[in-house]
Short mmCIF file of all heavy atoms in Angstrom, two decimals:
data_model
loop_
_atom_site.label_atom_id
_atom_site.label_comp_id
_atom_site.label_asym_id
_atom_site.label_seq_id
_atom_site.Cartn_x
_atom_site.Cartn_y
_atom_site.Cartn_z
N SER S 103 -1.91 95.74 51.26
CA SER S 103 -2.89 95.56 52.32
C SER S 103 -3.26 94.09 52.49
O SER S 103 -3.89 93.72 53.48
CB SER S 103 -4.16 96.37 52.05
OG SER S 103 -4.80 95.93 50.87
N CYS S 104 -2.85 93.26 51.54
CA CYS S 104 -3.14 91.82 51.60
C CYS S 104 -1.99 91.06 50.97
O CYS S 104 -1.48 91.43 49.91
CB CYS S 104 -4.45 91.53 50.85
SG CYS S 104 -4.84 89.78 50.62
N ILE S 105 -1.58 90.00 51.65
CA ILE S 105 -0.58 89.08 51.13
C ILE S 105 -1.23 87.71 51.00
O ILE S 105 -1.85 87.21 51.95
CB ILE S 105 0.64 88.98 52.06
CG1 ILE S 105 1.31 90.34 52.24
CG2 ILE S 105 1.65 87.94 51.55
CD1 ILE S 105 2.35 90.39 53.34
N SER S 106 -1.13 87.10 49.83
CA SER S 106 -1.66 85.75 49.64
C SER S 106 -0.62 84.89 48.93
O SER S 106 0.40 85.40 48.43
CB SER S 106 -2.97 85.78 48.84
OG SER S 106 -2.73 86.10 47.49
N LYS S 107 -0.89 83.60 48.90
CA LYS S 107 -0.02 82.65 48.19
C LYS S 107 -0.88 81.79 47.28
O LYS S 107 -1.91 81.28 47.70
CB LYS S 107 0.75 81.77 49.19
CG LYS S 107 1.68 82.57 50.09
CD LYS S 107 2.68 81.69 50.83
CE LYS S 107 2.03 80.87 51.92
NZ LYS S 107 3.06 80.19 52.76
N ARG S 108 -0.44 81.64 46.04
CA ARG S 108 -1.19 80.82 45.10
C ARG S 108 -0.22 80.19 44.11
O ARG S 108 0.61 80.88 43.51
CB ARG S 108 -2.23 81.67 44.35
CG ARG S 108 -3.32 80.88 43.66
CD ARG S 108 -4.45 80.55 44.63
NE ARG S 108 -5.32 81.70 44.85
CZ ARG S 108 -5.51 82.25 46.05
NH1 ARG S 108 -4.86 81.78 47.11
NH2 ARG S 108 -6.33 83.27 46.20
N ASP S 109 -0.31 78.87 43.98
CA ASP S 109 0.53 78.14 43.02
C ASP S 109 2.01 78.42 43.22
O ASP S 109 2.77 78.61 42.25
CB ASP S 109 0.12 78.47 41.58
CG ASP S 109 -1.33 78.13 41.29
OD1 ASP S 109 -1.81 77.11 41.81
OD2 ASP S 109 -1.98 78.89 40.55
N GLY S 110 2.42 78.49 44.49
CA GLY S 110 3.83 78.70 44.80
C GLY S 110 4.31 80.12 44.67
O GLY S 110 5.51 80.39 44.83
N LYS S 111 3.40 81.06 44.41
CA LYS S 111 3.79 82.45 44.23
C LYS S 111 3.28 83.31 45.39
O LYS S 111 2.16 83.09 45.88
CB LYS S 111 3.23 83.00 42.91
CG LYS S 111 3.84 82.34 41.68
CD LYS S 111 3.27 82.94 40.40
CE LYS S 111 3.91 82.30 39.17
NZ LYS S 111 3.35 82.88 37.92
N LEU S 112 4.10 84.26 45.80
CA LEU S 112 3.72 85.22 46.84
C LEU S 112 3.14 86.45 46.16
O LEU S 112 3.80 87.06 45.30
CB LEU S 112 4.94 85.60 47.68
CG LEU S 112 4.67 86.44 48.92
CD1 LEU S 112 3.94 85.60 49.98
CD2 LEU S 112 5.97 86.99 49.51
N ILE S 113 1.91 86.81 46.54
CA ILE S 113 1.17 87.84 45.82
C ILE S 113 0.87 89.02 46.74
O ILE S 113 0.42 88.85 47.87
CB ILE S 113 -0.14 87.28 45.25
CG1 ILE S 113 0.14 86.01 44.42
CG2 ILE S 113 -0.84 88.33 44.38
CD1 ILE S 113 -1.10 85.28 43.98
N CYS S 114 1.10 90.21 46.22
CA CYS S 114 0.80 91.46 46.92
C CYS S 114 -0.46 92.07 46.33
O CYS S 114 -0.58 92.23 45.12
CB CYS S 114 1.98 92.43 46.75
SG CYS S 114 1.64 94.14 47.18
N HIS S 115 -1.40 92.39 47.21
CA HIS S 115 -2.66 93.01 46.79
C HIS S 115 -2.86 94.33 47.52
O HIS S 115 -2.42 94.49 48.66
CB HIS S 115 -3.86 92.13 47.14
CG HIS S 115 -3.75 90.70 46.73
ND1 HIS S 115 -4.27 90.22 45.55
CD2 HIS S 115 -3.19 89.64 47.36
CE1 HIS S 115 -4.05 88.92 45.47
NE2 HIS S 115 -3.39 88.55 46.56
N ALA S 116 -3.58 95.24 46.88
CA ALA S 116 -4.14 96.42 47.55
C ALA S 116 -5.65 96.29 47.49
O ALA S 116 -6.25 96.47 46.43
CB ALA S 116 -3.67 97.70 46.88
#
Side-chain angles (χ1 to χ4, degrees):
S103 63
C104 171
I105 300 169
S106 72
K107 298 194 288 189
R108 197 84 78 241
D109 301 323
K111 294 181 178 180
L112 188 70
I113 307 172
C114 165
H115 311 265

